[in-house]
Amino acid sequence: MGFGTAFSLGIVALVAFLAGPISHFVQITGVFLTPNPTVLGEGQGPIHIKDTIHCEDVHHYRPANLLFTACEDDKNTRFSWFPPLGNLLPLMAQGSIHVIDPKTMKSTRLVFENFQGPFLTHGIDVIKDPDQSDAVYIYAVNHMANPAYFEAGNPKGVPKAQSQIELFHHVLNSKSIRHVRSINHPLIKTPNDIYAISPVSFYVTNDHFYREGPMRLLEDVWLSAQWSSIIHVQIPDLASKDAPIEASVALTGLWNNNGLGHGRTDHEIIISSAMGGEIFLATRHESNHSISIDTSVSVSSLADNPSYYHDPYSTDSHDASGFLVAGVSQAIHMLANAKDPNALDPIQVWYMTLNSHTGVWEKKVLFEDDGSRIRTASAAVLVPIEPKAGKKLAWLFVTGFMSESMVAVQVEL
């Protein structure tokens, strides 16, 4: 047993003491889990999408049937610098935005226009351009190193990361992407994922209150450490790169709120608690930009970026619409594996549907792996396939913050 594993087991024991009933938390750590990789039949994959290294998030833009993701591109970057994992040896690197065609299973790396700075990727969101039908806006988290810390003698009280949000514009089927502006504000501290409302309005999660150290570790293991937050951001003037940003706290009181997703309506927002293994269905209020929780659903793994699948072939007898969330299934090893390029981190992708007759949430593992086909899973989306012989089929795309490539597998819903 290595030091990291022993230390992690000690943390589980600590949680048992601090948190009281912890059966769900123990499930999430995966300390007793034996991964059971999903058996795939002929033609079901996995298909590994080339040139998709360490892509933490993925979104299906349904109007154009295209997938968008932000990737690190270099296998070594994330193991040195990735503030969400506590890897804080700074690098000057530039990841990229990719478009994936689910019909060809090929990825296109977009060429940046008017953007030369570092780009250390994390969560994204994609929305239509209201003024141009064949274009989209893309918000993307950028975890830059903070020169005020590393170039100024490591002053006390100055954070190592200078995380911010980048806003891009992309004309569909073109090969480039234009940088619109960078977005930073004192309330944006540990950004993880984004929920875009319009080109000038969005929500962003702060997944931790503390950036590093013992208190950050406590946030990961103590369910009462409900110090994360969701921030609403407003851009007063999109034409100006320097116009001040307006921001306000939209929601607090969740443990390790992490991913955000668009739900069944324009006002439903899906929120995940990563270490809590839980997704929350919530309502955003336009009057004051606050968010209120409506219900929650738990799973037995980490819960990272959630998504909603709308079944275009739904019938009165079978509507396969549902919620997805992907996560690492053995969080117990994450601390030891965070800096190890050769480690394996097993994963599960959960699929949740609400039974309209009983009102009960039905949950199942749609795809599972021991880390050999895909290492870590932080986002998953479904792309529908026309039903065959009465079967509801879809391509499931799964990606992870330490996966060497996104994978696609065919599933039955």
Side-chain angles (χ1 to χ4, degrees):
M1 179 183 296
F3 170 77
T5 301
F7 182 74
S8 299
L9 288 172
I11 291 298
V12 172
L14 174 64
V15 172
F17 174 74
L18 293 175
I22 59 154
S23 58
H24 183 222
F25 185 84
V26 170
Q27 285 182 323
I28 293 167
T29 66
V31 63
F32 301 119
L33 174 73
T34 299
N36 183 27
T38 302
V39 177
L40 299 172
E42 184 179 355
Q44 292 182 310
I47 298 173
H48 289 82
I49 312 297
K50 294 181 180 179
D51 193 29
T52 53
I53 299 171
H54 297 177
C55 311
E56 195 271 348
D57 197 5
V58 61
H59 286 264
H60 181 211
Y61 184 66
R62 287 186 305 201
N65 192 29
L66 294 171
L67 306 182
F68 286 85
T69 186
C71 305
E72 209 68 272
D73 296 333
D74 188 310
K75 295 179 182 179
N76 299 312
T77 302
R78 189 139 289 178
F79 297 102
S80 295
W81 176 263
F82 192 51
L85 284 179
N87 293 347
L88 295 168
L89 296 175
L91 290 174
M92 290 291 291
Q94 189 179 72
S96 57
I97 305 291
H98 295 237
V99 181
I100 298 165
D101 186 338
K103 294 181 180 179
T104 64
M105 300 292 181
K106 292 183 178 179
S107 172
T108 299
R109 185 187 301 206
L110 300 178
V111 177
F112 286 127
E113 298 177 17
N114 194 35
F115 185 64
Q116 302 298 326
F119 184 40
L120 289 306
T121 63
H122 203 169
I124 68 167
D125 200 7
V126 183
I127 57 168
K128 66 180 180 180
D129 179 345
D131 300 319
Q132 188 175 349
S133 61
D134 65 340
V136 294
Y137 282 96
I138 301 173
Y139 285 102
V141 173
N142 183 5
H143 288 297
M144 300 190 305
N146 188 358
Y149 179 89
F150 291 102
E151 298 175 9
N154 305 349
K156 186 177 181 180
V158 176
K160 294 179 181 177
Q162 183 181 294
S163 300
Q164 61 187 32
I165 313 300
E166 310 295 349
L167 178 59
F168 299 97
H169 185 264
H170 169 66
V171 177
L172 298 172
N173 299 313
S174 70
K175 303 297 184 182
S176 63
I177 185 168
R178 177 175 58 87
H179 186 247
V180 178
R181 67 162 295 165
S182 298
I183 302 159
N184 48 65
H185 189 275
L187 287 178
I188 303 174
K189 297 179 178 179
T190 57
N192 186 305
D193 200 15
I194 298 166
Y195 176 108
I197 303 169
S198 74
V200 296
S201 177
F202 67 93
Y203 292 97
V204 57
T205 53
N206 284 315
D207 57 26
H208 289 77
F209 182 84
Y210 293 94
R211 290 180 167 94
E212 58 180 315
M215 292 301 291
R216 181 186 174 94
L217 181 60
L218 182 64
E219 281 192 83
D220 285 336
V221 300
W222 188 28
L223 61 85
S224 293
Q226 297 171 356
W227 308 324
S228 57
S229 61
I230 299 177
I231 306 301
H232 176 261
V233 180
Q234 187 76 33
I235 306 172
D237 184 2
L238 195 61
S240 172
K241 289 180 176 287
D242 302 316
I245 297 300
E246 299 173 3
S248 60
V249 177
L251 183 67
T252 58
L254 296 182
W255 179 29
N256 191 208
N257 64 200
N258 188 290
L260 297 174
H262 293 262
R264 295 162 292 188
T265 68
D266 287 343
H267 289 85
E268 185 173 65
I269 181 169
I270 320 167
I271 308 166
S272 71
S273 166
M275 291 302 300
E278 195 168 13
I279 68 164
F280 301 90
L281 303 184
T283 300
R284 63 178 183 87
H285 303 282
E286 291 186 355
S287 59
N288 60 4
H289 306 301
S290 66
I291 296 172
S292 58
I293 302 296
D294 299 319
T295 190
S296 66
V297 188
S298 62
V299 296
S300 300
S301 70
L302 293 186
D304 218 306
N305 299 323
S307 66
Y308 175 68
Y309 171 69
H310 171 71
D311 178 9
Y313 302 108
S314 65
T315 63
D316 292 339
S317 60
H318 188 188
D319 183 356
S321 301
F323 297 88
L324 283 91
V325 69
V328 172
S329 57
Q330 285 188 316
I332 190 73
H333 301 307
M334 282 299 300
L335 187 67
N337 292 351
K339 294 180 174 63
D340 184 357
N342 300 312
L344 297 179
D345 291 286
I347 66 98
Q348 291 176 336
V349 178
W350 291 84
Y351 170 60
M352 296 154 283
T353 57
L354 182 61
N355 189 307
S356 59
H357 301 292
T358 65
V360 174
W361 285 98
E362 298 174 351
K363 300 176 284 186
K364 70 175 181 179
V365 175
L366 201 57
F367 179 66
E368 182 172 6
D369 195 55
D370 60 3
S372 59
R373 292 180 291 190
I374 179 168
R375 177 187 175 183
T376 72
S378 47
V381 295
L382 286 166
V383 176
I385 300 172
E386 187 173 352
K388 298 177 182 178
K391 293 182 178 181
K392 289 289 183 74
L393 303 174
W395 281 104
L396 172 68
F397 291 82
V398 187
T399 190
F401 51 88
M402 287 192 286
S403 59
E404 291 198 5
S405 64
M406 187 183 300
V407 300
V409 296
Q410 191 177 122
V411 296
E412 183 176 350
L413 304 176

